[in-house]
Amino acid sequence: RALRIKNVRSGHTSSCGCIAKEALARRNTTHGLSALHKAEYRSWKDMRGRCNNPSNTDFPGYGGRGISVSADWGDFSVFLSDMGPRGIGHTLDRIDVNGNYEAANCRWASASQQAAFWKWTAAVRHCSSGAPNMLPSHQRLDTDYLAV
């Protein structure tokens, strides 16, 4: 940016604006890891949104069912230390679908690993049509459903 020489000499201007940008970046940086571990950070942020934000579209299947995030994992650096780097094509997976997000219950898993553990359950809904509904077991919350 162009500066007026008289403002620099008088001390009213000390930089082109880069000092203010650098100061803002320092104030808004807590650990500096999110830039280096974007995929892991996105998984961490999305996990917290699913469990903690009632406005999140996935909240009913997670936080709305009582699934929570370990208190330790409120800090991204602890999450990253526990989970390690995410492999290419892997996503955050809970080993026990009814368990919480915590180190002992989570792993980075490929789509094929997740599919092998995904339990689809036939559920019959008691309604006038009598048509069976195929729902993942974690979505069968109503007493109107009967596992067969």
Side-chain angles (χ1 to χ4, degrees):
R1 154 180 136 174
L3 302 175
R4 293 184 177 212
I5 293 295
K6 73 176 194 172
N7 288 341
V8 174
R9 287 184 184 148
S10 68
H12 291 304
T13 300
S14 59
S15 83
C16 62
C18 61
I19 290 175
K21 286 181 186 177
E22 290 170 3
L24 179 63
R26 279 193 304 276
R27 281 194 309 271
N28 290 331
T29 300
T30 55
H31 45 67
L33 296 171
S34 60
L36 299 172
H37 299 279
K38 289 182 181 183
E40 294 87 350
Y41 185 79
R42 187 175 53 250
S43 293
W44 175 77
K45 189 175 80 116
D46 291 348
M47 164 193 70
R48 290 170 41 98
R50 288 189 296 269
C51 293
N52 301 333
N53 182 0
S55 298
N56 186 301
T57 56
D58 293 324
F59 181 82
Y62 293 86
R65 290 194 312 118
I67 305 297
S68 64
V69 178
S70 162
D72 293 343
W73 281 10
D75 181 340
F76 175 65
S77 61
V78 174
F79 169 81
L80 185 60
S81 174
D82 287 346
M83 293 298 296
R86 186 175 106 172
I88 295 171
H90 287 70
T91 58
L92 185 60
D93 181 45
R94 283 175 297 123
I95 297 163
D96 173 4
V97 296
N98 293 312
N100 294 323
Y101 283 101
E102 55 196 5
N105 191 41
C106 290
R107 64 182 177 167
W108 296 119
S110 67
S112 61
Q113 285 174 310
Q114 289 186 23
F117 288 96
W118 186 252
K119 297 178 178 127
W120 283 89
T121 303
V124 178
R125 184 168 176 86
H126 298 281
C127 62
S128 58
S129 69
N133 294 309
M134 293 298 290
L135 296 172
S137 59
H138 77 275
Q139 290 182 353
R140 289 185 297 105
L141 304 174
D142 300 339
T143 55
D144 292 341
Y145 289 96
L146 173 68
V148 291

